[in-house]
Amino acid sequence: MSWFLTNLVSAFLLPPLNLLLVAGIGLLLWHKRPRLARSLLIASFAALWLLSTPYVAEGLLHTLEGPPYDRTDEPADAIVILGGGQRFDAIEYGGNTVSQDTLERLRYGATLQHKTGTPILVSGGAPQGGSAEARLMQQVLEQEFHTPVRWVEPGSDNTQQNAEQSRRLLATAGITRVYLVTQAWHMPRASAAFERAGLQVVPAPTAWTTRYRTTLLTFLPDGRALRKSYWFMHEIIGLLWYKLKS
């Protein structure tokens, strides 16, 4: 229920629902406050257009990611790979499997393990029911990437719980310094959560936001770009929430 309520509230704060609500308020005020109504409709339309363009959406994510870097030459005692969702009832795999975001993290985590020999912890629960993400992640790493997994953390429902429950598991092995693997745009919030939980973090981000070239299409609305704007606003709200709780 906690996961459901959190995501329900988030839906009202994030695009496209927040912009549709602004437009809806504008329509309701059309006869009583026509000037305000027009302003709200224009603002919601303009914001939806801008947030749906690759140029704006990718630029927003860049502000979270910062310039590309690689700190994996620094030592750490474990690789923590965070779950990023799962695909339910994947027919071709005979059941649930990891999502595209999770698969990107697993691929880089496997690369890092082969490079450094550092043991892996996978973290992710089952907030929507079914198999825990961490179990699916372990399966993909061991069966498809031929990469061993030492620790499985299957009980967390969000990034903060990823951090707290991973710390408890690693504490039994005396580990306090980890490579943290997640998308580059998620790294600021993930690092903050893990450091708050008491772990030293060596960021190991993957899936940086890149663009082959800038063309006219970069300024036209695109559903994939709106998803990037959604993740940007999701991360900003999450970071603000962490500050309020601290």
Side-chain angles (χ1 to χ4, degrees):
M1 183 59 69
S2 174
W3 179 91
F4 175 80
L5 289 176
T6 299
N7 282 272
L8 180 63
V9 172
S10 296
F12 284 88
L13 298 175
L14 298 169
L17 184 54
N18 60 352
L19 301 178
L20 293 175
L21 289 174
V22 172
I25 293 171
L27 291 173
L28 290 174
L29 295 175
W30 187 260
H31 295 294
K32 293 182 179 180
R33 302 284 298 276
R35 182 175 297 179
L36 175 59
R38 282 193 296 271
S39 298
L40 291 174
L41 286 169
I42 291 171
S44 61
F45 176 82
L48 185 59
W49 181 289
L50 291 172
L51 293 175
S52 298
T53 63
Y55 186 82
V56 171
E58 291 167 3
L60 291 173
L61 285 184
H62 284 155
T63 65
L64 289 174
E65 297 172 342
Y69 60 86
D70 183 1
R71 289 177 49 191
T72 56
D73 56 344
E74 299 180 24
D77 300 311
I79 299 169
V80 177
I81 308 175
L82 302 185
Q86 57 180 291
R87 282 180 55 206
F88 294 97
D89 300 323
I91 296 172
E92 69 273 37
Y93 293 108
N96 299 350
T97 189
V98 298
S99 68
Q100 179 179 330
D101 287 343
T102 303
L103 188 59
E104 287 182 318
R105 301 175 188 187
L106 293 176
R107 182 185 181 190
Y108 183 56
T111 298
L112 186 56
Q113 197 280 331
H114 295 165
K115 174 184 174 182
T116 64
T118 308
I120 288 177
L121 180 151
V122 289
S123 176
Q128 295 177 271
S131 304
E133 284 180 42
R135 301 291 183 197
L136 298 173
M137 294 163 71
Q138 179 186 24
Q139 182 179 13
V140 170
L141 280 170
E142 294 184 342
Q143 296 182 10
E144 299 180 31
F145 290 103
H146 307 291
T147 303
V149 173
R150 181 171 299 181
W151 303 279
V152 176
E153 184 287 292
S156 54
D157 290 345
N158 54 52
T159 303
Q160 189 64 53
Q161 290 181 15
N162 287 150
E164 293 167 352
Q165 298 195 31
S166 294
R167 179 190 58 78
R168 293 192 193 104
L169 263 180
L170 294 172
T172 61
I175 293 175
T176 58
R177 185 176 175 86
V178 301
Y179 295 118
L180 184 60
V181 178
T182 188
Q183 266 78 8
W185 49 260
H186 183 229
M187 187 58 71
R189 185 163 66 90
S191 292
F194 272 72
E195 288 171 354
R196 244 177 104 180
L199 289 167
Q200 300 174 47
V201 173
V202 178
T206 188
W208 296 82
T209 303
T210 58
R211 184 189 308 142
Y212 174 55
R213 59 186 174 187
T214 301
T215 67
L216 176 61
L217 295 176
T218 312
F219 301 92
L220 296 179
D222 181 294
R224 291 166 297 183
L226 184 59
R227 183 175 184 265
K228 293 177 181 178
S229 292
Y230 170 94
W231 284 123
F232 168 79
M233 296 184 69
H234 182 275
E235 293 305 300
I236 291 298
I237 290 172
L239 287 167
L240 290 174
W241 178 245
Y242 285 0
K243 287 186 178 181
L244 288 173
K245 288 174 66 178
S246 61

